[in-house]
């Protein structure tokens, strides 16, 4: 196999390569495909698969590692399935390593859609700390099927958040043995928060879907609330998170911006 079909999409500028064929890339091939200089460039790969009679999002991080769940990725994946006629209803199920996710695709075209994802419970697992460059933070551990440390910083506003130096996090590996996504969040004001995120296996990204739900959970808790609707502003745009009755939903845009073929022989690291 010398070339493969691909598409590229993003959810609030968290960008992905969609692999709709049977090609199953090695970790080295994922790294080469996601390389922003020598490859196509992306935060991760969404491999379109069928498992147990349903569509399954086989998600890989940009470093080639396997991830349990990606909220932005599910939106793009669901948009791809609906807009390409692989499902014939707007409400359907997407399988992930974190379990099945119910999705609703609205107002879709071949290139744009709004997608709501049932994200399941935002489970608080405790309190922990991390260092990012010179910044020391404390926050809630939140399990979204993947691990998060969601840190609300008192007195932080959007301008100061933007100016922070967020390096590779140093965190408690006993608390997070599989690594962690770290969110830095402003306090809740009139139902809105701002967030930046460092994703495990990727680095800082423009958005993280599961991270926005973890951020909403932490911001509500910081405000003394168990439930609510939060608009989360990330560098790539904004999404709306609702946490209610122990469950959560994430609503936001999806864009599919390109389709084509890539020559595997031109990718570095293709043999790994």
């Amino acid at each position: 196999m010398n070339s493969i079909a691909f598409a590229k999409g993003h959810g609030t500028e968290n960008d992905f390569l969609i692999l709709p064929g049977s090609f199953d890339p090695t970790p080295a091939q994922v790294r080469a495909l996601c390389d922003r200089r020598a490859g196509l460039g992306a935060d991760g790969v969404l491999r379109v698969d069928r498992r147990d009679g349903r569509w399954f999002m086989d998600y890989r991080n940009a470093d080639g590692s396997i991830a349990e769940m990606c909220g932005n990725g599910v939106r793009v994946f669901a948009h791809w399935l609906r807009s390409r006629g692989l499902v014939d209803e707007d409400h359907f199920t997407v399988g992930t390593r974190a379990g099945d996710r119910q999705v609703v695709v609205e107002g879709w075209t071949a290139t744009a859609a709004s997608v709501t994802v049932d994200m399941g419970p935002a489970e608080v697992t405790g309190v922990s700390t991390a260092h990012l460059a010179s910044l020391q933070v404390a926050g809630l551990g939140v399990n979204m099927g993947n691990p998060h440390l969601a840190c609300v910083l008192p007195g932080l506003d959007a301008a100061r958040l933007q100016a922070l130096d967020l390096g590779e996090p140093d965190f408690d590996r006993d608390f997070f043995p599989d690594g962690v996504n770290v969110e830095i969040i402003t306090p809740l004001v009139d139902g809105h928060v701002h967030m930046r995120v460092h994703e495990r296996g990727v680095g800082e990204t423009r958005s993280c879907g599961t991270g926005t739900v973890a951020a909403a959970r932490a911001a509500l808790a910081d405000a003394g609330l168990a439930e609510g609707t939060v608009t989360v502003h990330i560098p790539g745009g904004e999404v709306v998170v609702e946490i209610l009755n122990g469950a959560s939903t994430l609503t936001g845009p999806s864009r599919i911006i390109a389709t084509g073929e890539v020559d595997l022989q031109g990718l570095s690291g293709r043999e790994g």
Side-chain angles (χ1 to χ4, degrees):
M1 182 182 294
N2 293 326
S3 65
I4 58 168
F6 76 93
K8 185 167 183 177
H10 71 89
T12 48
E13 298 182 7
N14 191 189
D15 60 341
F16 309 96
L17 300 175
I18 305 162
L19 303 183
S22 60
F23 176 63
D24 188 357
T26 66
Q29 287 171 325
V30 170
R31 291 192 293 271
L33 286 164
C34 292
D35 190 297
R36 295 193 182 277
R37 294 184 181 273
L40 298 170
D43 292 326
V45 166
L46 309 175
R47 181 171 168 266
V48 182
D49 197 8
R50 290 282 291 179
R51 299 186 186 182
D52 300 323
R54 76 213 190 290
W55 291 107
F56 183 87
M57 183 182 75
D58 181 9
Y59 179 58
R60 322 286 178 88
N61 291 316
D63 69 351
S65 61
I66 291 174
E68 303 91 343
M69 175 57 181
C70 176
N72 292 326
V74 171
R75 296 205 313 275
V76 174
F77 189 86
H79 178 198
W80 174 264
L81 295 179
R82 185 67 181 101
S83 65
R84 269 58 187 180
L86 298 173
V87 296
D88 56 11
E89 296 182 350
D90 294 339
H91 299 239
F92 55 95
T93 301
V94 171
T96 78
R97 289 184 177 86
D100 288 350
R101 295 291 183 259
Q102 303 300 315
V103 299
V104 182
V105 183
E106 297 179 306
W108 59 271
T109 68
T111 57
S114 175
V115 183
T116 297
V117 182
D118 178 357
M119 298 291 287
E123 178 190 0
V124 175
T125 58
V127 178
S128 190
T129 61
H131 284 85
L132 300 92
S134 61
L135 184 66
Q136 181 173 3
V137 295
L140 288 183
V142 181
N143 179 13
M144 292 301 308
N146 58 357
H148 294 266
L149 180 62
C151 309
V152 179
L153 273 57
L156 186 67
D157 60 21
R160 291 177 193 156
L161 173 65
Q162 183 61 32
L164 290 176
D165 178 14
L166 301 186
E168 184 76 24
D170 180 17
F171 56 89
D172 183 345
R173 296 184 182 275
D174 291 329
F175 196 92
F176 297 110
D178 298 318
V180 66
N181 305 287
V182 179
E183 291 82 30
I184 308 300
I185 311 149
T186 62
L188 185 69
V189 177
D190 297 330
H192 292 252
V193 299
H194 294 258
M195 181 192 95
R196 286 173 64 187
V197 58
H198 192 289
E199 292 194 60
R200 61 174 182 166
V202 186
E204 186 173 0
T205 60
R206 302 284 291 173
S207 177
C208 172
T210 53
T212 60
V213 181
R217 182 73 175 87
L220 288 166
D222 181 68
L225 301 171
E227 300 180 339
T229 300
V230 180
T231 299
V232 184
H233 302 265
I234 52 270
E238 66 180 54
V239 297
V240 176
V241 175
E242 183 178 53
I243 295 178
L244 183 65
N245 296 327
S248 63
T249 61
L250 169 65
T251 301
S254 168
R255 300 290 182 267
I256 296 172
I257 62 171
T259 59
E261 291 189 350
V262 58
D263 181 1
L264 294 177
Q265 299 298 318
L267 294 174
S268 62
R270 64 184 182 278
E271 300 299 333

